[in-house]
Amino acid sequence: MYDDLDFAATGMPDLLRGLIDPDPAVRGMALDAMRNVGDLDDRMLATVPFLLEVLRTPGVPGRDGIAELLASIGAAGSWPFEVAGDDDDLGATVARIGQARQLIAGGDLLGLAADPDPWLRAAMPPLLTIREDDPRVAEVFTSRFGVETDGDARRALLDGLGRIAARTGDAGIVAHLLGVAAAAPEPSVAAAALIAAARADPVRVPLDGAAGLLERAYAEPAGFTTETVTSAVPEARRAPHAARMIDGLTDALGPRVADRVAILRELLRSPHADVAGDALLGAIKLVERWRGEHAEVIRAIGRRLSHPDPRVVGHTAATLRCWAPLTAVVAEPVAAALSTLDALPWRDGLPAWTVPSRSEPPGLHPTLDVLARLADERALPLLLTALELRQRPPDSGYLLARYPRHAERIVAAMLPVLSAPRAAGRHGIHVALQAFGVTAAPAVPWLLAAPLDDDAATTLGRIGPAAAEAVPALRAAATGDDARLAVAAAGALWRIEGSPAVLPLLAAHIDGPWGTAALAAIAELGAAAADAAPIVATVLGAPDGDRWRPMHAAVALWRMIGDADRTAPVLTAAWHGNPHTRNAIVAAVAGPSPAGPFTAGPLAAALVPLLRAESVDPRRYGARDRGWSSNQVTNDERLLAACRAALAGTGGVPA
């Protein structure tokens, strides 16, 4: 009935009836359908009074699921992240959340914390914590914990107390939780209390013996079930009620990076798959969201590369692939795992170090990816072989760009790929050729043999004067109707000829859809583009939600005329308003302007405090509890290195 989870087709009345159906399977599918609505619209809001009435009716099946659904509806901050649309849409949804929370808070639900149904009792604390301003909730949780016998309900009460303490800063609740953690006979209950306290006040939480406590919690007898310990490896989970406690505690400890490392290092060595799997998740959260000394944790993860199950090896390498340069400490076990794959026979025309796909060209095995991101010489022969495959892995070019010392050899292997304009991974090939600069000059005839596009134009520009034969084609493209290609071609002409005659061509696109690229190209002209300063300055205050265009305008103005007074405020606003601009800002302003070097000028005085604050911030820039980027760690490590290098060059510039 609910297999497709199609909310619009199923209809609200049927879904509501399904939530209280005697059949648990029907209830589960209806609940999934309600959860997959994706936005809190008026129809969903209208169900809240009905759901509250059902919740208060004894004996109705599925009340625990309804409590969980209501908690998700009223949870602050959960629904708005799923809203697609303009600010009006978001504002309307937030308003509906407020209405839902008011309905739930006025629903007279406190008595359900003592309901005869243990499943409902375990589901109630997240819902009751919506009444964050009601002191009775904490009192009910505390008194109920003293008489509660159900383990799930006891742990839920502790979690609820931790959420209240985190919101209110109630030190008395934290002290109570720490007392439970020290005295509870059940390891999982003690661990739950520790986690709840850490969410409220991570600094106060004692961690002596924490790893052992978690090991005992995962070993508690609770019957047998099978769950997915990691996204790739199904294993027996011994105590389902302890699932995610490891990453729950370590994540809650926040900036206590060294303590988190100590716990995870020990648990990653566990022979039990459930412990090691959850410790891996905790390690992922640590490395990807927090800065610090992660070598021990990464080495502990690297030991999984010798596991006999190839799925474990693949999943482990996939975890490591996005952490360069931190993965240098596990280069040897990664290389050993890759060597094992390379020794296997090919299958269906593909080596074992590729990953077949039904609808796409094959990918590269994560072990090869990890090693190549480190520019390790042992990966190079396999990447060159990848270029020759009939089904070429798209990432090959991007990874080969990391080997400029072997540019001549790599360029020669890439030339045949350029003859196939729609070849898989062709953009990556261009990225590599651009990285190799003048060494990629043999590619010029191949690039000109096909219709010119923006990738090819950019590549020709990066080759520089050695691509002079491309000038006629680039001039035609720079005045053509394709704005994206025109900007790329004009920038390429500057790099090849060095003539400021391209400035009007670039300036014509500042206000267009490729204005950011045009501004970046103008910045390369530097003082030669000074005549365009008034036009560029008009962009500084232009409305721009992601800050990229004003940031590029500020960088261009600095490079053109060294105007720190107008540049610094815009760059500072971009730095705070969009953390993803930070690498570009540091890279762009670290060099000299017509007014003098960054290291001694007024722009340095304005930006050095930002660089210093960044260099000591324990949190990775742009890190969020929701969302993820494959370049998050690499870009952050690059930013840290750039900030430190810039600071080292500023000498006595005051903070």
Side-chain angles (χ1 to χ4, degrees), residues 534-613:
I535 300 174
V536 171
T538 63
V539 184
L540 296 178
D544 190 278
D546 60 14
R547 312 275 181 166
W548 282 105
R549 190 184 297 251
M551 184 275 291
H552 279 288
V555 168
L557 203 63
W558 166 253
R559 292 277 183 85
M560 293 155 66
I561 60 175
D563 189 340
D565 290 339
R566 284 189 289 180
T567 296
V570 176
L571 294 178
T572 300
W575 184 282
H576 292 301
N578 180 0
H580 299 292
T581 63
R582 293 178 185 178
N583 263 310
I585 290 172
V586 177
V589 303
S593 80
F598 166 77
T599 54
L603 188 60
L607 297 187
V608 160
L610 299 179
L611 305 182
R612 286 181 174 159

Coordinates of all heavy atoms in Angstrom, one line a residue, residues 534-613:
P534 N 37.4 51.6 -12.0 CA 36.0 52.1 -11.7 C 34.9 51.1 -12.0 O 33.9 51.0 -11.2 CB 35.9 53.3 -12.6 CG 37.3 53.8 -12.9 CD 38.1 52.5 -13.0
I535 N 35.0 50.3 -13.0 CA 34.0 49.4 -13.4 C 34.0 48.2 -12.3 O 33.0 47.8 -11.8 CB 34.2 48.8 -14.8 CG1 34.2 49.9 -15.8 CG2 33.2 47.7 -15.1 CD1 34.5 49.5 -17.2
V536 N 35.2 47.7 -12.0 CA 35.3 46.7 -11.0 C 34.8 47.1 -9.7 O 34.2 46.3 -9.0 CB 36.8 46.2 -10.9 CG1 37.0 45.2 -9.8 CG2 37.2 45.6 -12.3
A537 N 35.1 48.3 -9.3 CA 34.7 48.8 -8.0 C 33.2 48.8 -7.8 O 32.6 48.7 -6.7 CB 35.2 50.2 -7.8
T538 N 32.4 48.9 -8.9 CA 31.0 48.9 -8.8 C 30.4 47.6 -8.3 O 29.3 47.5 -7.8 CB 30.3 49.2 -10.2 OG1 30.6 48.2 -11.1 CG2 30.8 50.6 -10.7
V539 N 31.2 46.5 -8.4 CA 30.8 45.2 -8.1 C 31.0 44.9 -6.6 O 30.4 44.0 -6.0 CB 31.5 44.1 -8.9 CG1 31.0 42.7 -8.5 CG2 31.4 44.4 -10.4
L540 N 31.8 45.8 -5.9 CA 32.1 45.5 -4.5 C 30.9 45.5 -3.6 O 30.8 44.6 -2.7 CB 33.1 46.6 -4.0 CG 34.5 46.7 -4.6 CD1 35.3 47.8 -4.0 CD2 35.2 45.4 -4.5
G541 N 30.0 46.3 -3.9 CA 28.8 46.4 -3.0 C 27.6 45.7 -3.6 O 26.5 45.8 -3.1
A542 N 27.8 44.9 -4.7 CA 26.6 44.3 -5.4 C 26.1 43.2 -4.5 O 26.8 42.5 -3.8 CB 27.1 43.7 -6.7
P543 N 24.8 43.0 -4.5 CA 24.2 41.9 -3.7 C 24.6 40.6 -4.3 O 24.5 40.4 -5.5 CB 22.7 42.1 -3.8 CG 22.5 42.9 -5.1 CD 23.7 43.8 -5.2
D544 N 25.1 39.7 -3.4 CA 25.6 38.4 -3.8 C 25.5 37.5 -2.7 O 26.3 37.6 -1.7 CB 27.0 38.5 -4.4 CG 27.4 37.3 -5.1 OD1 27.9 36.3 -4.4 OD2 27.3 37.2 -6.3
G545 N 24.6 36.5 -2.7 CA 24.4 35.7 -1.6 C 25.5 34.8 -1.1 O 25.7 34.6 0.1
D546 N 26.4 34.4 -2.1 CA 27.5 33.5 -1.7 C 28.8 34.3 -1.6 O 29.9 33.7 -1.4 CB 27.6 32.4 -2.7 CG 27.9 32.8 -4.1 OD1 28.2 34.0 -4.3 OD2 27.7 31.9 -5.0
R547 N 28.8 35.6 -1.9 CA 30.0 36.5 -1.7 C 31.1 36.3 -2.7 O 32.1 37.0 -2.7 CB 30.6 36.3 -0.3 CG 29.6 36.3 0.8 CD 29.3 37.7 1.3 NE 28.4 37.7 2.4 CZ 28.2 38.7 3.2 NH1 28.8 39.9 3.0 NH2 27.3 38.7 4.2
W548 N 31.0 35.4 -3.7 CA 32.1 35.1 -4.6 C 32.4 36.3 -5.5 O 33.5 36.7 -5.7 CB 31.8 33.9 -5.4 CG 32.0 32.6 -4.7 CD1 31.1 31.7 -4.2 CD2 33.3 32.0 -4.3 NE1 31.6 30.7 -3.6 CE2 33.0 30.8 -3.6 CE3 34.6 32.4 -4.5 CZ2 34.0 30.0 -3.1 CZ3 35.6 31.6 -4.0 CH2 35.3 30.4 -3.3
R549 N 31.3 36.9 -6.1 CA 31.6 38.0 -7.1 C 32.2 39.2 -6.4 O 33.2 39.7 -6.9 CB 30.3 38.3 -7.8 CG 30.5 39.3 -9.0 CD 29.1 39.7 -9.5 NE 28.4 38.5 -10.1 CZ 28.2 38.3 -11.3 NH1 28.7 39.1 -12.2 NH2 27.5 37.2 -11.7
P550 N 31.7 39.7 -5.2 CA 32.4 40.8 -4.6 C 33.8 40.5 -4.2 O 34.7 41.3 -4.2 CB 31.5 41.1 -3.4 CG 30.1 40.6 -3.8 CD 30.4 39.4 -4.6
M551 N 34.0 39.2 -3.7 CA 35.3 38.8 -3.3 C 36.3 38.9 -4.5 O 37.4 39.4 -4.4 CB 35.3 37.4 -2.8 CG 36.6 36.9 -2.2 SD 37.8 36.2 -3.5 CE 36.9 34.7 -3.9
H552 N 35.9 38.4 -5.7 CA 36.8 38.4 -6.8 C 37.0 39.9 -7.3 O 38.1 40.2 -7.7 CB 36.2 37.6 -8.0 CG 36.5 36.1 -7.8 ND1 37.7 35.6 -8.0 CD2 35.7 35.1 -7.5 CE1 37.7 34.3 -7.9 NE2 36.5 34.0 -7.5
A553 N 36.0 40.7 -7.1 CA 36.1 42.1 -7.5 C 37.2 42.8 -6.5 O 38.0 43.6 -7.0 CB 34.8 42.9 -7.4
A554 N 37.1 42.5 -5.3 CA 38.0 43.0 -4.3 C 39.5 42.6 -4.6 O 40.4 43.4 -4.5 CB 37.6 42.6 -2.9
V555 N 39.6 41.3 -4.9 CA 41.0 40.8 -5.2 C 41.5 41.5 -6.5 O 42.7 41.9 -6.5 CB 40.9 39.3 -5.4 CG1 42.2 38.8 -6.1 CG2 40.7 38.6 -4.1
A556 N 40.6 41.7 -7.5 CA 41.1 42.3 -8.7 C 41.5 43.8 -8.4 O 42.5 44.3 -8.9 CB 39.9 42.3 -9.7
L557 N 40.7 44.5 -7.6 CA 41.0 45.9 -7.3 C 42.3 46.0 -6.5 O 43.1 46.9 -6.8 CB 39.9 46.5 -6.5 CG 39.7 48.0 -6.5 CD1 39.4 48.5 -7.9 CD2 38.7 48.5 -5.5
W558 N 42.6 45.0 -5.6 CA 43.9 45.0 -4.9 C 45.0 44.8 -5.9 O 46.0 45.5 -5.8 CB 43.8 44.0 -3.9 CG 45.2 43.6 -3.3 CD1 45.9 42.5 -3.5 CD2 46.0 44.4 -2.4 NE1 47.1 42.5 -2.8 CE2 47.2 43.7 -2.1 CE3 45.8 45.7 -1.8 CZ2 48.2 44.2 -1.3 CZ3 46.8 46.2 -1.0 CH2 48.0 45.5 -0.8
R559 N 44.9 43.9 -6.8 CA 45.9 43.6 -7.7 C 46.1 44.7 -8.7 O 47.2 45.0 -9.2 CB 45.6 42.3 -8.5 CG 45.6 41.0 -7.7 CD 47.0 40.5 -7.5 NE 47.1 39.3 -6.8 CZ 46.9 38.0 -7.4 NH1 46.6 37.9 -8.7 NH2 47.0 37.0 -6.6
M560 N 45.0 45.4 -9.1 CA 45.1 46.5 -10.1 C 45.7 47.8 -9.5 O 46.6 48.4 -10.1 CB 43.7 46.8 -10.6 CG 43.1 45.6 -11.4 SD 41.3 45.6 -11.4 CE 41.0 47.1 -12.4
I561 N 45.2 48.3 -8.4 CA 45.6 49.6 -7.9 C 46.0 49.6 -6.4 O 46.3 50.6 -5.9 CB 44.5 50.6 -8.1 CG1 43.2 50.2 -7.4 CG2 44.2 50.8 -9.6 CD1 42.1 51.3 -7.5
G562 N 46.0 48.4 -5.8 CA 46.4 48.3 -4.4 C 45.5 49.1 -3.4 O 46.0 49.7 -2.4
D563 N 44.2 49.1 -3.7 CA 43.3 49.9 -2.8 C 42.9 49.0 -1.7 O 41.9 48.3 -1.7 CB 42.1 50.3 -3.7 CG 41.2 51.3 -2.9 OD1 41.3 51.3 -1.7 OD2 40.4 52.0 -3.6
A564 N 43.6 49.1 -0.6 CA 43.3 48.3 0.6 C 42.0 48.8 1.3 O 41.3 48.1 2.0 CB 44.5 48.3 1.6
D565 N 41.8 50.1 1.3 CA 40.7 50.7 2.0 C 39.3 50.1 1.5 O 38.4 49.9 2.4 CB 40.6 52.2 1.9 CG 41.8 52.9 2.6 OD1 42.3 52.3 3.5 OD2 42.1 54.1 2.2
R566 N 39.2 50.0 0.2 CA 37.9 49.4 -0.3 C 38.0 47.9 -0.3 O 37.0 47.2 -0.3 CB 37.6 50.0 -1.7 CG 37.1 51.4 -1.6 CD 36.6 51.9 -2.9 NE 37.7 52.1 -3.9 CZ 37.5 52.5 -5.2 NH1 36.3 52.7 -5.6 NH2 38.6 52.7 -5.9
T567 N 39.2 47.3 -0.4 CA 39.3 45.9 -0.6 C 39.1 45.1 0.7 O 38.4 44.1 0.8 CB 40.7 45.5 -1.1 OG1 40.9 46.1 -2.4 CG2 41.0 44.0 -1.2
A568 N 39.7 45.6 1.8 CA 39.7 44.8 3.1 C 38.3 44.6 3.6 O 38.1 43.5 4.0 CB 40.6 45.6 4.1
P569 N 37.4 45.6 3.6 CA 36.1 45.3 4.2 C 35.3 44.2 3.4 O 34.6 43.4 4.0 CB 35.4 46.6 4.1 CG 36.5 47.6 4.1 CD 37.6 47.0 3.3
V570 N 35.5 44.2 2.1 CA 34.8 43.3 1.3 C 35.4 41.9 1.5 O 34.6 40.9 1.6 CB 34.9 43.7 -0.2 CG1 34.2 42.6 -1.1 CG2 34.2 45.0 -0.5
L571 N 36.7 41.8 1.5 CA 37.3 40.5 1.8 C 36.9 39.9 3.2 O 36.7 38.7 3.4 CB 38.8 40.5 1.6 CG 39.3 40.8 0.2 CD1 40.8 41.0 0.2 CD2 38.8 39.8 -0.8
T572 N 36.9 40.8 4.2 CA 36.5 40.4 5.5 C 35.1 39.9 5.6 O 34.8 38.9 6.2 CB 36.7 41.6 6.5 OG1 38.1 42.0 6.5 CG2 36.3 41.2 7.9
A573 N 34.2 40.6 4.9 CA 32.8 40.2 4.8 C 32.7 38.8 4.1 O 31.9 38.0 4.6 CB 31.9 41.2 4.1
A574 N 33.4 38.6 3.1 CA 33.4 37.3 2.4 C 33.9 36.2 3.3 O 33.4 35.1 3.3 CB 34.1 37.4 1.1
W575 N 35.0 36.5 4.0 CA 35.7 35.6 4.8 C 34.7 35.0 5.9 O 34.6 33.8 6.1 CB 36.8 36.2 5.5 CG 37.7 35.4 6.4 CD1 37.4 34.9 7.7 CD2 39.0 34.8 6.1 NE1 38.4 34.2 8.2 CE2 39.4 34.0 7.2 CE3 39.8 34.9 5.0 CZ2 40.6 33.4 7.2 CZ3 41.0 34.2 5.0 CH2 41.4 33.5 6.1
H576 N 33.9 35.9 6.5 CA 32.9 35.5 7.5 C 31.6 35.0 6.9 O 31.0 34.1 7.4 CB 32.6 36.7 8.4 CG 33.8 37.1 9.3 ND1 34.4 36.2 10.2 CD2 34.5 38.3 9.4 CE1 35.4 36.8 10.8 NE2 35.4 38.1 10.4
G577 N 31.2 35.6 5.8 CA 29.9 35.3 5.2 C 29.9 34.0 4.4 O 28.9 33.3 4.3
N578 N 31.0 33.6 3.8 CA 31.1 32.4 3.1 C 32.5 31.8 3.3 O 33.5 32.1 2.6 CB 30.9 32.6 1.6 CG 31.0 31.3 0.8 OD1 31.2 30.2 1.3 ND2 30.8 31.4 -0.5
P579 N 32.7 30.9 4.3 CA 34.0 30.3 4.6 C 34.7 29.7 3.4 O 35.9 29.6 3.4 CB 33.7 29.3 5.7 CG 32.4 29.7 6.3 CD 31.6 30.4 5.2
H580 N 33.9 29.3 2.4 CA 34.6 28.6 1.3 C 35.4 29.6 0.4 O 36.1 29.2 -0.5 CB 33.5 27.9 0.4 CG 32.8 26.9 1.2 ND1 33.4 25.7 1.6 CD2 31.5 26.8 1.6 CE1 32.5 25.0 2.2 NE2 31.3 25.6 2.3
T581 N 35.3 30.9 0.7 CA 36.1 31.9 -0.1 C 37.5 32.0 0.5 O 38.3 32.7 0.0 CB 35.4 33.3 -0.1 OG1 35.3 33.7 1.3 CG2 34.0 33.2 -0.7
R582 N 37.7 31.4 1.7 CA 38.9 31.7 2.5 C 40.2 31.3 1.7 O 41.2 32.1 1.7 CB 38.9 31.1 3.8 CG 37.8 31.8 4.7 CD 37.6 31.1 6.1 NE 36.5 31.7 6.8 CZ 36.1 31.4 8.0 NH1 36.8 30.4 8.6 NH2 35.1 32.0 8.5
N583 N 40.2 30.1 1.2 CA 41.4 29.7 0.4 C 41.7 30.7 -0.7 O 42.9 31.0 -1.0 CB 41.2 28.3 -0.1 CG 41.8 27.2 0.8 OD1 43.0 27.4 1.2 ND2 41.1 26.2 1.2
A584 N 40.7 31.1 -1.4 CA 40.9 32.0 -2.6 C 41.4 33.3 -2.1 O 42.2 33.9 -2.8 CB 39.5 32.1 -3.3
I585 N 40.9 33.8 -1.0 CA 41.3 35.1 -0.4 C 42.8 35.1 -0.1 O 43.6 35.9 -0.4 CB 40.5 35.5 0.8 CG1 39.0 35.8 0.3 CG2 41.1 36.7 1.5 CD1 38.1 36.1 1.5
V586 N 43.2 34.0 0.7 CA 44.6 33.9 1.1 C 45.5 33.8 -0.1 O 46.5 34.5 -0.2 CB 44.8 32.8 2.1 CG1 46.3 32.6 2.4 CG2 44.0 33.0 3.3
A587 N 45.1 33.0 -1.1 CA 45.9 32.8 -2.3 C 46.0 34.0 -3.1 O 47.1 34.4 -3.6 CB 45.4 31.6 -3.1
A588 N 44.9 34.8 -3.1 CA 44.9 36.0 -4.0 C 45.7 37.1 -3.5 O 46.3 37.9 -4.2 CB 43.5 36.3 -4.3
V589 N 45.6 37.3 -2.1 CA 46.2 38.5 -1.6 C 47.6 38.3 -1.0 O 48.3 39.3 -0.5 CB 45.3 39.1 -0.5 CG1 44.0 39.4 -1.0 CG2 45.2 38.2 0.7
A590 N 48.1 37.1 -1.0 CA 49.4 36.8 -0.5 C 50.5 37.4 -1.3 O 51.6 37.6 -0.8 CB 49.6 35.3 -0.3
G591 N 50.3 37.7 -2.5 CA 51.3 38.3 -3.4 C 51.2 39.9 -3.4 O 50.4 40.4 -2.7
P592 N 52.1 40.5 -4.1 CA 52.2 42.0 -4.1 C 51.1 42.6 -4.9 O 50.6 41.9 -5.8 CB 53.6 42.3 -4.6 CG 53.9 41.1 -5.5 CD 53.2 39.9 -4.8
S593 N 50.8 43.8 -4.7 CA 50.0 44.6 -5.5 C 50.8 45.8 -6.0 O 51.9 46.0 -5.7 CB 48.8 45.2 -4.7 OG 49.2 46.3 -3.9
P594 N 50.2 46.6 -6.9 CA 51.0 47.8 -7.4 C 51.4 48.7 -6.2 O 52.4 49.5 -6.4 CB 50.0 48.5 -8.3 CG 49.1 47.4 -8.8 CD 48.9 46.5 -7.6
A595 N 50.7 48.6 -5.1 CA 51.0 49.5 -3.9 C 52.1 48.9 -3.1 O 52.6 49.5 -2.1 CB 49.8 49.8 -3.1
G596 N 52.5 47.7 -3.3 CA 53.6 47.1 -2.5 C 53.2 45.7 -2.1 O 52.1 45.2 -2.4
P597 N 54.1 45.0 -1.4 CA 53.8 43.6 -1.0 C 52.7 43.5 0.1 O 52.6 44.3 0.9 CB 55.2 43.1 -0.5 CG 55.8 44.3 0.0 CD 55.4 45.4 -0.9
F598 N 52.0 42.4 0.0 CA 51.0 42.1 1.0 C 51.6 42.1 2.4 O 51.0 42.6 3.4 CB 50.3 40.8 0.7 CG 49.5 40.3 1.9 CD1 48.2 40.8 2.1 CD2 49.9 39.2 2.7 CE1 47.4 40.3 3.2 CE2 49.2 38.7 3.7 CZ 47.9 39.3 4.0
T599 N 52.8 41.5 2.5 CA 53.4 41.3 3.8 C 53.7 42.5 4.6 O 54.0 42.5 5.8 CB 54.7 40.4 3.7 OG1 55.5 41.1 2.8 CG2 54.3 39.1 3.2
A600 N 53.6 43.7 4.0 CA 54.0 44.9 4.7 C 53.0 46.0 4.5 O 53.2 47.1 5.0 CB 55.4 45.4 4.2
G601 N 51.9 45.7 3.8 CA 51.0 46.8 3.4 C 49.7 46.8 4.3 O 49.6 46.1 5.3
P602 N 48.8 47.8 4.1 CA 47.6 48.0 4.9 C 46.7 46.8 4.8 O 45.9 46.5 5.7 CB 47.0 49.2 4.3 CG 47.6 49.4 2.9 CD 49.0 48.8 3.0
L603 N 46.7 46.1 3.7 CA 45.8 44.9 3.5 C 46.2 43.8 4.5 O 45.4 43.2 5.1 CB 45.8 44.4 2.1 CG 44.8 43.3 1.8 CD1 43.4 43.8 2.1 CD2 44.9 42.8 0.4
A604 N 47.5 43.7 4.7 CA 48.0 42.7 5.7 C 47.5 43.1 7.1 O 47.1 42.2 7.9 CB 49.5 42.6 5.7
A605 N 47.6 44.4 7.4 CA 47.1 44.8 8.8 C 45.7 44.5 9.0 O 45.3 44.1 10.1 CB 47.4 46.3 8.9
A606 N 44.9 44.5 7.9 CA 43.5 44.3 8.1 C 43.2 42.8 8.1 O 42.2 42.3 8.8 CB 42.7 44.9 6.9
L607 N 43.9 42.0 7.4 CA 43.6 40.5 7.3 C 44.4 39.6 8.2 O 43.9 38.5 8.5 CB 43.8 40.1 5.8 CG 43.0 40.7 4.8 CD1 43.2 40.1 3.4 CD2 41.5 40.7 5.1
V608 N 45.5 40.1 8.7 CA 46.2 39.2 9.6 C 45.4 38.7 10.8 O 45.6 37.6 11.2 CB 47.5 40.0 10.1 CG1 48.1 39.3 11.4 CG2 48.6 39.9 9.0
P609 N 44.6 39.6 11.5 CA 43.8 39.0 12.5 C 42.9 37.8 12.1 O 42.7 36.9 12.9 CB 42.9 40.2 13.0 CG 43.7 41.4 12.6 CD 44.4 41.0 11.3
L610 N 42.4 37.9 10.9 CA 41.6 36.8 10.4 C 42.5 35.5 10.2 O 42.1 34.4 10.6 CB 41.0 37.1 9.0 CG 40.0 38.3 8.9 CD1 39.6 38.5 7.5 CD2 38.9 38.1 9.9
L611 N 43.7 35.7 9.7 CA 44.6 34.6 9.5 C 45.0 34.0 10.8 O 45.0 32.7 11.0 CB 45.8 35.0 8.8 CG 45.6 35.7 7.4 CD1 47.0 36.0 6.8 CD2 44.8 34.8 6.5
R612 N 45.2 34.8 11.8 CA 45.6 34.3 13.1 C 44.5 33.6 13.8 O 44.7 32.5 14.4 CB 46.1 35.5 14.0 CG 47.4 36.0 13.6 CD 47.9 37.1 14.5 NE 49.3 37.5 14.2 CZ 49.8 38.6 14.5 NH1 49.1 39.6 15.1 NH2 51.1 38.9 14.2
A613 N 43.3 34.1 13.7 CA 42.1 33.4 14.3 C 41.9 32.1 13.6 O 41.6 31.1 14.3 CB 40.9 34.3 14.2

